[in-house]
Structure formats: C-alpha cells, structure tokens
Amino acid sequence: MFKHIINLFFPAVCAGCNSLLSPNEKVICTICRHNIPLTHQHISPNNEAFKKFYGRIPLEYASALLYFHKKGIAQELIHKLKYKGHQEIGTVLGHWYAQYLKDVVILKTVDAIIPVPLHKRKHRERGYNQVTTFGKALSSELNVPYNDSILKRKVYSKTQSKKNLLGRNEGIKTIFEVSFTENDHGKHFLLIDDVITTGATLEACSRALLTIPGSKISIACMAMAQS
C-alpha cells in the first residue's frame, strides 16, 4: 500500500528520457533500451576498446557496453549515476552487461573485479564510487569476487573531463598504488570504470596492478566515447 502511495506522488521515471515507467519496467524504459547505442564489442576480442590500448599496456581483453555521445542516452544515464546519486543505474548496467560477458571465454579465468578507485576525499565529497554497483552486479552474475581494497588512488585530483589528452596522461601516471599479498600473485583482474575516453586512467590503473607478480589485466566499462 505504501509503495502505491509513494508511486502516486513520486512516480518512477526512466533514467534515460524521464518518461514514466510502466509497472514492468525498471530504471530504463523499453524505448531507451531499444535506442541506446550498444557497442557489441564483446563479440570481437580485437575490438576498438582493445585496440585503444595497443602499445600502451598488455591486456587480455577490453570492451564497453555502450557508446557514449554528447547529449545521448548513455551520457544521461552515467551523469545521473555519477553526480545525482542514482546508483541503481550501475546495477542495471552491470546485470545487463554480464549477460554478454558470460560468453567471453577469456573472462572465465578472472579472479577478481577491481573498480577504478576514488581518492578518499573525493569519495567523501560524492558519497560513493559510481562504479561500485556496476561492479557488484557483475560480481553477482559472473560469480567473481569484487575487491576494492587492492587498488588505491593516492593523489586527489580535479576532474579529468576538461583536460586535453596530454594533460590527462601527464597528470595521472603516478596517482595509483596497489596493496597486495602473495595470495594476489598470478591473478587475472577485471578492471572496471564508467567511461573509456583517452584511456589514461585505465592505463595508469593497469600499470599499478601489473606490478603484482604474474598478474593479468582485462577491462570492462559501462561506455566508451565514440569520436
């Protein structure tokens, strides 16, 4: 009864287009699910996300679920997830992407899912890491542990979104560190983030994780910026 009363005064709306959700829809309406640009990168190991890191870091696999365009549905979803507290969006995208990633053979060897971390100060300011619910949904579906304690951000930095490529790369190279034990040696880590843009953050995180003896890295993100 209380749920119906709440829905009467605060009806559920789509996180993508703000239209009213029908009773059988959750978070993202059917129309947005149909119109949102999927990358289908999981089908090809040699996809554009993987190619983005050629010559930069050795990866086992890389892909993103959605294409990120300015004023597009993916941007709307990730903006609300990252800045408006709509963490349920990460959960939905995680469960959605896991259905595709289950069929990726190389990911069957993943030992832990690692989120790109926020600095403690940024975490306090925002109140949460925007990739946590995404990672936990992947963890649940893929039956792989979620671990947010190995990789840490040791330097507080302003948002990277308005910096050019050179500025991002130079400013982010040494701001991550790892804390690991011998039990973490030889592990395959699935590194996750919200959007692949220049790849500088993911490259820096991967380099830190690769200091763990015998480690291997794969990447899975919610979206990838498309030029």
Side-chain angles (χ1 to χ4, degrees):
M1 182 180 70
F2 289 113
K3 183 178 180 180
H4 288 305
I5 293 173
I6 291 172
N7 287 339
L8 179 63
F9 290 99
F10 303 99
V13 297
C14 172
C17 67
N18 294 314
S19 64
L20 291 176
L21 292 173
S22 65
N24 63 330
E25 294 175 332
K26 291 184 178 180
V27 184
I28 306 172
C29 72
T30 302
I31 293 175
C32 280
R33 282 178 178 266
H34 177 75
N35 290 333
I36 200 166
L38 297 171
T39 70
H40 300 291
Q41 291 174 351
H42 64 282
I43 296 174
S44 173
N46 195 34
N47 60 60
E48 60 191 306
F50 185 78
K51 289 178 180 178
K52 195 171 190 70
F53 297 96
Y54 273 170
R56 297 167 66 177
I57 47 172
L59 291 180
E60 304 300 305
Y61 173 86
S63 71
L65 174 63
L66 311 171
Y67 279 122
F68 184 98
H69 300 119
K70 287 187 177 180
K71 299 184 179 180
I73 299 172
Q75 183 188 46
E76 183 69 15
L77 292 175
I78 291 173
H79 179 82
K80 287 180 177 176
L81 167 63
K82 192 170 183 177
Y83 301 111
K84 302 296 183 180
H86 290 271
Q87 296 185 68
E88 69 277 7
I89 294 171
T91 300
V92 168
L93 294 181
H95 286 297
W96 187 353
Y97 205 15
Q99 301 312 308
Y100 297 136
L101 298 181
K102 284 178 179 179
D103 296 327
V104 178
V105 176
I106 190 64
L107 295 186
K108 296 183 185 299
T109 66
V110 167
D111 298 292
I113 295 171
I114 311 293
V116 169
L118 295 180
H119 187 267
K120 289 181 179 179
R121 176 179 164 188
K122 179 63 70 68
H123 199 287
R124 288 195 300 269
E125 291 171 353
R126 186 173 295 164
Y128 60 96
N129 185 333
Q130 71 272 14
V131 298
T132 296
T133 53
F134 177 68
K136 289 184 175 180
L138 289 176
S139 172
S140 174
E141 294 284 353
L142 301 178
N143 196 28
V144 175
Y146 177 83
N147 189 324
D148 60 0
S149 63
I150 290 180
L151 184 64
K152 299 294 183 183
R153 186 184 292 253
K154 60 183 180 179
V155 176
Y156 177 85
S157 59
K158 300 281 186 178
T159 180
Q160 298 286 315
S161 61
K162 293 184 179 179
K163 294 183 179 181
N164 60 30
L165 176 59
L166 181 61
R168 291 187 191 194
N169 289 342
E170 291 304 314
I172 211 165
K173 283 181 179 178
T174 59
I175 68 174
F176 298 100
E177 63 183 359
V178 290
S179 176
F180 63 92
T181 68
E182 191 173 334
N183 290 332
D184 298 309
H185 292 190
K187 295 289 181 69
H188 182 183
F189 300 113
L190 180 62
L191 182 64
I192 61 168
D193 201 5
D194 48 12
V195 184
I196 303 174
T197 49
T198 66
T201 298
L202 289 161
E203 178 183 352
C205 288
S206 296
R207 288 187 182 280
L209 289 169
L210 286 169
T211 63
I212 301 173
S215 61
K216 297 179 181 179
I217 309 296
S218 289
I219 289 172
C221 295
M222 300 179 206
M224 178 176 181
Q226 189 179 36
S227 54

